[in-house]
Amino acid sequence: MSEKFYVTTPIYYVNDRPHIGHAYTTILADVLARFHRSVGNDTFFLTGTDEHGQKVQNAAEKRGVEPLQHCDETVIRFQELWQRLGITNDRFIRTTQAEHKRVVSEIMQELYDRGEIYKADYTGWYCVGCERFFTEKDLVDGKCPDCGRDVNAITESNYFFRMSKYQDWLIDHIKSNPDFILPAFRANETLGFLKKPLGDLCISRPKSRLSWGIELPFDKDYVCYVWFDALINYISGVGYHTDADNFARRWPASCHLIGKDILTTHSVYWPTMLKAMGLPMPKTIFAHGWWLTGNSKMSKSLGNVVNPMDMIDRAGVDAFRYFLLAEMSPGNDANFSEDAFIARYNSDLANDLGNLLSRVSKLTIRATGGVIPAPAELNADDAELADAVNAAIATMEESLKSYKLDQGINAAMNAVRAGNRYLEKCAPWTLAKQGDTARLHTVLHNAADALCRVAVLLAPVMPEKMSELLAVLGIADGQISGIAALKEFKSVAGATMRETAPLFPRIVVEETEQSAAPAAKPEKKQPKQEKKAAPETAETVGVVTIDQFFQTQLKTAKVLSAEKVEGADKLLKLQIEVGAETRQLVAGVAKFYTPEEITGKTIVIVANLKPAKIRGIESQGMLLAAKDGDTLKLVTTDGEIASGASVG
């Protein structure tokens, strides 16, 4: 029997264009929805736009148009981008739709009739940007504690929701349900917020100050507070008060995906509203981090917002989807830069995945006319590759359930790299020359089979490109319907491969005199020309290019255990976790750290260093440390972050 899966994104303000933060949340929801559909779960994916409130009214006034006209014109930008990104939402809700407005009005009337909403005078500080009231003690240096903007002193009569009466219940619910707010440190943030007395929630705005909103059914001089209105989309979008059967089928939500900046509204306002309505709680509220440029959150006021359309035009939709999901460990912040995008694209997609496909297809076409052969007797090398693929399948399945998608992607790419190592080790080109047909066929089959399974794993992330990859392998659309089907899928033997252009053409970076920023463009083959080496100067000796720098993959790693190397005073042997992978590393830090001191630390390592043997012990990487005289300190992270995260 299939399970149900109902995932939502926040509904996005229509006061401006969508940016990379909107794209990330929506792509993450799309990947989760695609995965759950692929395993046969009854899946529903809701996204949409928040179209009421002060910011929308101000944006419309600035343009000299009516608010609804502004919404109608701006919402298209979101809808077009979601279509371009391959988003498979089941419904796109707008809070200006008559059905949603009616549900909000009916809920307010019901709560008012039961005494859950009351009228009172209020004096406080109001932030237009956040559309929230704050008390004097909430302010930070006299400004909004959330966004840092100026606030306005307001005294007026308003309607309030009795949120305070549910404070003790909410604390108990969070503590009793560890999956209710994820990651766990976000639950601790909410519990910290709830240590102070919880006030009642102002859920109205007088029309004299704000006219653009849903009118209160019990007082025509007021409109509904935008957040009270917006949160209700999660139930109005699946039939609350309009389609009882569908609502019973969908609610409660499996996962509300949100950014960490709206944690309080979703983990405090929304649960107490649902409790007052007598409805079940969502299973999980997952708050991801921010996309940063440098150390700053992307914001229009700072002028550092990345337009998703620009990145899509440069490298394609699937590469953009891949980068966002591979680069960010959900829950933590991530830095965006064009250099990082190009480096990951070239390393993971053009080099690792693209190279494996190119080699396997060319070798198979040359050896068998493209027909993937059946394997003969297997050996330890074959088993090692199969283990890497099976580990990737297990890790991806678990990561999708735990919302740690970067770990699943990392495991899939580890399987790709294992495939490339397998070819180097088995050397099918040599087997062909030697006439060892049985072994050649086994190697070609196993490499193609690994590619096929990785493509299925990555299909929710890169649906178009992985469909192309499977087609190159001779696997038809729908032949392997998702991760669950991999457990039943026997082999690619008998499928016919075809020639293909590079799946991910490498991106080269050129510096121009007109711009200090690197310009990305597809690599083109140039006629060979003799080049004279430029003379070295004091400024260029020892200098590396950005491409050379990004050939080094720096990642976070968690030290699982440590022990001294026998007969070596300086060496510790570490077992480390790098995403979904466990490695062994030998480090010369024993004079500075005991095994007990280093165990549990999150360190930074060079992840793509060629393995080496130190005192007869294989070391798979190198940790980073800073040394000054007799002092040595490990390079660690500033705060909690998952292992396997990219550094740079």
Side-chain angles (χ1 to χ4, degrees), residues 69 80 249 288:
Q69 179 184 342
E80 288 178 344
R249 176 182 175 186
H288 63 73

Side-chain angles (χ1 to χ4, degrees), residues 110-428:
E110 290 172 2
L111 294 178
Y112 180 76
D113 291 344
R114 300 207 326 261
E116 296 282 358
I117 292 175
Y118 64 94
K119 190 175 184 180
D121 291 335
Y122 180 82
T123 299
W125 297 92
Y126 185 70
C127 173
V128 173
C130 295
E131 305 202 28
R132 287 180 59 188
F133 280 108
F134 295 97
T135 63
E136 184 78 38
K137 63 182 177 62
D138 292 327
L139 303 182
V140 176
D141 296 328
K143 297 182 182 295
C144 173
D146 288 348
C147 70
R149 294 184 180 95
D150 290 333
V151 291
N152 303 315
I154 291 178
T155 300
E156 62 188 17
S157 292
N158 264 310
Y159 287 88
F160 292 81
F161 164 57
R162 297 187 188 277
M163 187 166 66
S164 60
K165 69 185 279 190
Y166 299 107
Q167 181 168 5
D168 291 342
W169 163 82
L170 181 57
I171 291 170
D172 289 342
H173 184 79
I174 294 170
K175 290 181 176 179
S176 302
N177 295 274
D179 290 337
F180 182 54
I181 303 172
L182 293 175
F185 61 88
R186 299 293 179 207
N188 292 334
E189 286 180 20
T190 301
L191 289 171
F193 176 83
L194 291 170
K195 285 181 179 178
K196 296 183 292 185
L198 186 62
D200 290 340
L201 179 64
C202 179
I203 58 98
S204 70
R205 302 291 183 264
K207 283 185 179 178
S208 58
R209 181 161 61 85
L210 171 66
S211 60
W212 183 238
I214 300 173
E215 188 177 90
L216 299 193
F218 42 81
D219 193 329
K220 306 303 181 184
D221 292 330
Y222 290 84
V223 295
C224 181
Y225 169 42
V226 65
W227 268 112
F228 195 89
D229 158 16
L231 290 164
I232 289 171
N233 96 90
Y234 299 134
I235 54 177
S236 69
V238 289
Y240 186 64
H241 276 214
T242 59
D243 186 340
D245 290 341
N246 190 54
F247 184 69
R249 176 182 175 186
R250 301 297 178 194
W251 192 259
S254 306
C255 181
H256 290 319
L257 286 174
I258 62 169
K260 66 179 183 180
D261 50 327
I262 52 175
L263 177 64
T264 300
T265 53
H266 282 78
S267 64
V268 178
Y269 297 6
W270 183 225
T272 55
M273 289 166 61
L274 289 169
K275 182 67 173 175
M277 286 183 255
L279 294 177
M281 296 299 114
K283 179 183 176 184
T284 297
I285 300 164
F286 192 98
H288 63 73
W290 286 338
W291 281 97
L292 309 174
T293 52
N295 293 318
S296 301
K297 180 192 176 188
M298 290 187 186
S299 75
K300 296 186 294 296
S301 60
L302 293 175
N304 63 352
V305 171
V306 174
N307 183 347
M309 290 296 195
D310 294 341
M311 301 312 302
I312 293 169
D313 291 340
R314 291 194 172 196
V317 169
D318 279 11
F320 178 70
R321 287 171 61 109
Y322 176 86
F323 174 81
L324 293 189
L325 296 177
E327 193 73 11
M328 178 180 276
S329 296
N332 298 305
D333 296 338
N335 268 284
F336 180 89
S337 71
E338 186 176 342
D339 289 341
F341 179 91
I342 293 171
R344 184 177 281 276
Y345 173 97
N346 283 341
S347 174
D348 291 8
L349 302 181
N351 292 354
D352 293 340
L353 184 56
N355 186 45
L356 182 58
L357 176 62
S358 176
R359 295 164 92 182
V360 172
S361 62
K362 287 176 181 177
L363 288 166
T364 305
I365 290 168
R366 192 179 305 153
T368 67
V371 177
I372 300 174
E377 185 177 351
L378 303 179
N379 64 21
D381 293 333
D382 308 320
E384 184 178 349
L385 176 60
D387 287 345
V389 174
N390 290 332
I393 293 171
T395 303
M396 179 65 82
E397 196 165 22
E398 179 55 37
S399 75
L400 285 159
K401 292 176 181 176
S402 62
Y403 309 107
K404 298 176 180 177
L405 191 54
D406 61 312
Q407 294 185 10
I409 292 173
N410 186 55
M413 294 311 300
N414 282 339
V416 170
R417 296 179 191 110
N420 280 311
R421 290 195 301 270
Y422 175 75
L423 290 185
E424 292 292 338
K425 201 170 186 179
C426 298

Side-chain angles (χ1 to χ4, degrees), residues 543-564:
V543 174
V544 298
T545 67
I546 192 70
D547 274 353
Q548 289 171 329
F549 171 76
F550 277 115
Q551 287 176 9
T552 301
Q553 293 180 7
L554 302 181
K555 292 183 178 291
T556 58
K558 186 172 183 179
V559 181
L560 302 176
S561 64
E563 60 181 283
K564 288 188 175 182

